[in-house]
Each structure stands twice: as structure tokens, then as C-alpha cells.
Amino acid sequence: MSFRRLWSTPKAMGDVNMVTEELKNLYYKRLLPVEKYYSFHHFHSPSYEDADFDNKPMVLVMGQYSTGKTTFIRYLIEQDFLGSRVGPEPTTDCFTALMYGEVEGIIPGNALTMDPKKPFRNLDPFGNSFLNRFQCVQMPNQILESISIIDTPGILTAAKRKLSRGYDFAAVLRWFAERVDRIILLFDAHKLEFSDELTRAFEALCGYEDKLRVVLNKADRVDSQYLMRVYGALMWSLGKVFRTPEILRVYIGSFWSEPRQMCDHYQLIELEEEDLLADIRNLPRNAAVRKLNDLVKRARLVRAHAHIISYLKQEMPTIFCRESKKHNLIYQLPVIFNKIQQQHHVPAGDFPDCTKMQEKLLGQDFSKFKKLKPSLMASLDKLLSTDIAKLVPYIQQQEQRKRSLHGVLDGEFLRTFKPEHYSRDPFKEPPIDEGSELDFDEWVVEKYKPKYDEIFYNLSPTEGKLSGTKVKEWMTKTLLPNSVLAHIWRLSDVDGDGMLDDEEFALAVHLIEEKVEGHWLPRELPPHLVPPSKRLSEASDVSV
């Protein structure tokens, strides 16, 4: 991997506005009238609102206690957030939506569901027990300008299965699963345990496997033989729960920005990290595709629902034996599904879960159901057959244009932004006393340079410079993630020639040492860290 690689995701929210607006118009014009006419929201999910179309891509992070959910989020945004706690047992006990905001602050759940600009208004039905454990943390973080992240409570283990949360945890997960762009499910390589609540959480994710990415975290803490066994056990358990012929993608990693422990599978961890981050980086670019896909999936479910409701209405007697007929129809619902498939050519995969539909129908008054309305069904068919098809070529054209754009997320996912509130920042420019001028002739790396020069010349430079290959080979011995080292290279290669001279190499070693000590790296190189030989050229470039 080249340390000068570009992260190729543009901040694409502006690029997808046209497609998003058209999808919104199609939903309100074609789909929403059908949902209202057949009371779709009583049986399935609430209707969409503007915020569901306009919001940034969302990433749902979930897993059992102590699997590293909060640490994973800090790994992405490279800073702490209000209310975050990292520890062994139990820490995060609420749903936290991390979103961009000019001013850092927390919005409680009840107030959050009242904000029409946030995509959480339809969480009201889960009640105060849930809303008291739901909050939005707004912060000026550049990652959050492109995506939002949902942190979730740790899933209870078998030892805590008798505890109650006070709200339907699985139903809340399903609500988010329908609306998010990516679901990150974390497991701890040390302790692989499948509890009852974890199984129910899996059931809530059924139907959204395409969004799911499984992560076997803390993999550097176990040896390769143990990791192989845990990986096999995880794949076997996931196959039993989801019962699909397709194998879920499981990433192996240690997702935090501190030095990892050396292990036989260290290179595998680095490759898996790159794959997962690339997947997350592409979310803004694929936002329009995901919204279109979710709208089509919803429209097909609405069509099947309309046929079910109209069939039940048609079979109900006018006056006598209505209650007994209702229960008989509910009992025969699997047979009714088959009849609708044959008569109206509705694919079997479009129908809702039969058992859950039967449970919902028990509390409904069949006399209020509506028969098929040809105009509404024709409008719905036009949405699926014509309107959506017209948008697909435009999205493909957008994708072609985006591939040629320069990546603007060059550093955001490299975990390299230093938070402004960080008190001990060795990279911050020295304060200037009143009545004195800052002496930039003193380079803070200079006093350590003899030690760094010894390493430099031991690497056998060519014509006074080291190639990227030689530097990378030495850098990887620090056990810092490749993405962190990539950013250090970018900061150190001041003249951008793809090689490091003795001063640039000294700067690179200095940055590595500070990072290993736990400091955030700067996004751009401060003036006082620029090597003396490079300051003159930079000044001349500015003057020109």
C-alpha cells in the first residue's frame, strides 16, 4: 500500500440531492396514498418524512457488552464525545446518535423526536422508557459532516437474560435497521457468547443482511490458532441464526488507534481494516442508491400488504359470524398468501413475516379494511415499473462522475484530527509572549535529530533520501495502524516528492513517537514543525 494513497469518497450529499428530491416526490405521490388507504403503518413501519430522505447516511454500531463499540466509534472520529464511557461492564446504556453540529451539546430523546429536521420523529411510539435512554450528541467533527453514527446499548449476555430494559429493544433495532445505511455488529475474539437477547437482535435484522457487516474485534490479543477456532465458531453460529445460504462478511481486526500487539496474523488485520474503512467511506457516495433500494423494497411490501388487506375484506361476511370468520382467516393466512401469489403474481419474497402478520391482525377490525382500488394499484405499479427505472441511469451517471473526483476525505477516517479541547497537544504552536516574537528558527525536532539520523543512515538512503518502500518497512515495526502511518507520511513528505530526506524522516519519527505516547496528530503540519530547509521554499511559494 502506498502511503500517499487518496481516500476516494467525496462529500456526496450535495451530489445526490436531485435523486433524493425525485425519490421524495415519488413517495408522496405514488406510495404514501396507498399506505394510508390500507393502513400500512398499523402493521409495519411508520410513513417516511422529509428527514428520512434528506438525512446523511447513518451507521448503526451494535454488539454485546465490552466488544469495543464506543472505542470503535472513537477510532472513526478520533475524539471523545459527550456521555461516552469505555469500560468492561456495563457502560453504554442508551442509544446515542452522533451528528454534526456547530456547537457541541446533547439533545434528549423527547425533544429530539419533536425536531422535524432529524429523522427520529417516528420513535415516539416506543414511549418514555425508550426516549429517556435516547439522545443526540452534536459536535463539530468533520467525519460527522458526511455520516451520522448510532451507538447502541450493549446486548445483554446470558447471565443477565432476566433483566428487562422497559422497552422493546429488538423493535427499536429493527426501526433503525430499516433506516440506516450500514450495520456494524461487533464480537470480542476473547469471549464469543450467543445470548437470548442477541438471538432476538438477529431476528430484528432479518431482511437487512445486505447492510450488515460483522467484526471480530480485538483479534491481535489472541494467537492465530485460537483466532481460527473463534472465527469458525462465529461463522457456524451466524449461519444457524440467519438461516441463509449466503455467508455473512466477517472482518477480523483490532479497531482502535493505539499500537497493536504483534501477532502472526498482523498483516491480515491491516488488510481487513482497509476493507472495512473503504466500505464505510463509500456510504456517502452510495447514499442515493441505498435510498432507492429501500424505497423499492418498501413499495413491494406495500403492494403485498394491499392485496392481503383487500382479500381479507372480501372474504368477511356482512353481518353474521364475523368474529369466527376473522379468526379462521387469520389461521389460514399462509394459504391466503399462496392464493395471492398465484392470482396477482406477487413474489413470495415480497410478503411480510406470516407469524407477525397474524399477531397484528388479531387486534384489527376487518370491517374497516378496504378493497382493492384500481387507481391506487395502477399508480403503485407505475412507480415500480417505470418511475424507478428512469432514475437508475441517472444514478449510474453520477457514479461515473464521482469516480473522477479528488477525494476530500483524505484524512477524516485516518483517526488523525486533534480535538480543539485537548489540553496536552505537543503539536500545537508554542504560545507567543507579549512583547516577544516567536523564533521559528528553532525547530522542535532538532534536539532529537542525532538519534533520528542514526536510524536514517542505517536504512541506507540513496542520494540523501529514503524511498517510500524503505520507510514503510521501518514504520510498520511501530505496530501503529497503516492508516495512521499513511497520515504521518503525508505530513512528513513536505515537498511531496515521494521520498524523505534526513529532516523529513526526523519529523516522521517525531510524529510516530508522539502518537505512540497517546497524542492526537494534527490534520495539517503546523508551521513550527516544518523542517528549516523547507520553510524557505514554502515562503517563496506563498509569495508567488
Side-chain angles (χ1 to χ4, degrees), residues 13 17 20-21 23-24 27-28 47-58 99 112-123 148 175 178-181 287 290-291:
M13 296 309 297
N17 278 348
T20 300
E21 285 299 319
L23 287 174
K24 190 190 305 182
Y27 174 76
Y28 289 134
S47 58
Y48 285 167
E49 297 185 346
D50 286 352
D52 292 306
F53 293 95
D54 298 334
N55 70 296
K56 302 179 180 72
M58 291 193 292
M99 308 185 79
L112 190 59
T113 56
M114 297 293 105
D115 188 349
K117 295 182 180 180
K118 297 287 192 301
F120 306 119
R121 285 167 57 86
N122 289 322
L123 284 168
S148 299
W175 188 94
E178 181 183 355
R179 288 161 174 79
V180 300
D181 296 72
R290 195 275 303 173
K291 291 173 183 176

Side-chain angles (χ1 to χ4, degrees), residues 247-296:
I247 298 176
L248 290 172
R249 176 69 159 95
V250 177
Y251 295 86
I252 297 172
S254 180
F255 291 94
W256 65 337
S257 58
E258 302 303 320
R260 300 186 177 115
Q261 291 187 6
M262 178 52 73
C263 53
D264 294 338
H265 47 276
Y266 185 86
Q267 186 176 5
L268 174 63
I269 291 176
E270 292 288 357
L271 294 174
E272 293 284 276
E273 174 202 25
E274 292 177 11
D275 286 350
L276 182 60
L277 293 185
D279 184 73
I280 297 175
R281 269 200 318 275
N282 286 329
L283 291 180
R285 182 169 65 181
N286 298 329
V289 178
R290 195 275 303 173
K291 291 173 183 176
L292 183 145
N293 182 67
D294 285 353
L295 185 65
V296 171

Side-chain angles (χ1 to χ4, degrees), residues 228-440:
M228 180 181 66
R229 292 175 177 172
V230 172
Y231 181 84
L234 177 59
M235 296 297 291
W236 181 79
S237 300
L238 291 175
K240 286 188 63 179
V241 172
F242 285 101
R243 298 177 183 176
T244 58
E246 299 84 5
I247 298 176
L248 290 172
R249 176 69 159 95
V250 177
Y251 295 86
I252 297 172
S254 180
F255 291 94
W256 65 337
S257 58
E258 302 303 320
R260 300 186 177 115
Q261 291 187 6
M262 178 52 73
C263 53
D264 294 338
H265 47 276
Y266 185 86
Q267 186 176 5
L268 174 63
I269 291 176
E270 292 288 357
L271 294 174
E272 293 284 276
E273 174 202 25
E274 292 177 11
D275 286 350
L276 182 60
L277 293 185
D279 184 73
I280 297 175
R281 269 200 318 275
N282 286 329
L283 291 180
R285 182 169 65 181
N286 298 329
V289 178
R290 195 275 303 173
K291 291 173 183 176
L292 183 145
N293 182 67
D294 285 353
L295 185 65
V296 171
K297 188 186 299 184
R298 186 182 181 93
R300 296 172 74 93
L301 178 60
V302 169
R303 181 177 61 182
H305 174 80
H307 283 293
I308 295 168
I309 295 301
S310 62
Y311 184 93
L312 295 176
K313 174 65 176 179
Q314 183 178 343
E315 293 295 315
M316 282 294 292
T318 306
I319 301 176
F320 301 107
C321 304
R322 296 171 64 179
E323 195 64 26
S324 61
K325 182 63 175 179
K326 169 184 172 181
H327 286 86
N328 187 41
L329 287 172
I330 293 175
Y331 178 77
Q332 294 182 345
L333 195 60
V335 179
I336 294 173
F337 279 12
N338 289 329
K339 288 182 179 180
I340 295 174
Q341 291 176 39
Q342 297 172 4
Q343 293 176 6
H344 300 283
H345 307 288
V346 179
D350 292 356
F351 285 84
D353 181 88
C354 187
T355 303
K356 292 181 180 179
M357 189 69 179
Q358 288 173 321
E359 294 174 358
K360 294 285 187 180
L361 287 170
L362 285 172
Q364 299 295 322
D365 184 358
F366 284 20
S367 64
K368 296 182 180 179
F369 288 175
K370 306 289 181 64
K371 293 183 179 180
L372 278 183
K373 191 173 184 180
S375 60
L376 286 178
M377 300 308 294
S379 178
L380 182 55
D381 289 339
K382 188 174 187 299
L383 169 69
L384 290 169
S385 62
T386 306
D387 296 334
I388 295 295
K390 291 179 180 178
L391 284 177
V392 173
Y394 180 76
I395 291 179
Q396 293 173 344
Q397 292 173 6
Q398 279 190 334
E399 291 301 310
Q400 292 174 358
R401 289 199 301 268
K402 289 169 190 171
R403 289 192 188 101
S404 63
L405 293 177
H406 181 77
V408 300
L409 294 181
D410 186 27
E412 280 89 334
F413 279 97
L414 298 180
R415 306 165 308 287
T416 53
F417 293 123
K418 69 176 192 299
E420 296 301 328
H421 62 270
Y422 195 69
S423 57
R424 293 181 62 251
D425 184 0
F427 302 114
K428 191 174 182 181
E429 293 185 18
I432 304 177
D433 297 331
E434 291 185 8
S436 67
E437 295 184 359
L438 182 63
D439 184 9
F440 280 111

Side-chain angles (χ1 to χ4, degrees), residues 148-167:
S148 299
I149 303 174
I150 312 295
D151 192 12
T152 62
I155 296 174
L156 299 176
T157 59
K160 298 178 175 61
R161 59 189 174 189
K162 294 183 179 180
L163 298 179
S164 174
R165 295 183 183 272
Y167 61 91

Side-chain angles (χ1 to χ4, degrees), residues 22-40:
E22 185 60 26
L23 287 174
K24 190 190 305 182
N25 293 335
L26 289 175
Y27 174 76
Y28 289 134
K29 179 181 178 181
R30 305 280 192 203
L31 193 54
L32 185 58
V34 186
E35 291 183 10
K36 290 182 176 179
Y37 192 74
Y38 294 104
S39 303
F40 178 82

Side-chain angles (χ1 to χ4, degrees), residues 85-132:
R85 288 177 293 162
V86 176
E89 280 282 312
T91 48
T92 304
D93 62 348
C94 65
F95 284 80
T96 301
L98 299 178
M99 308 185 79
Y100 180 81
E102 296 293 340
V103 179
E104 192 171 23
I106 296 179
I107 304 175
N110 281 287
L112 190 59
T113 56
M114 297 293 105
D115 188 349
K117 295 182 180 180
K118 297 287 192 301
F120 306 119
R121 285 167 57 86
N122 289 322
L123 284 168
D124 267 338
F126 293 106
N128 281 328
S129 295
F130 165 71
L131 295 178
N132 289 336

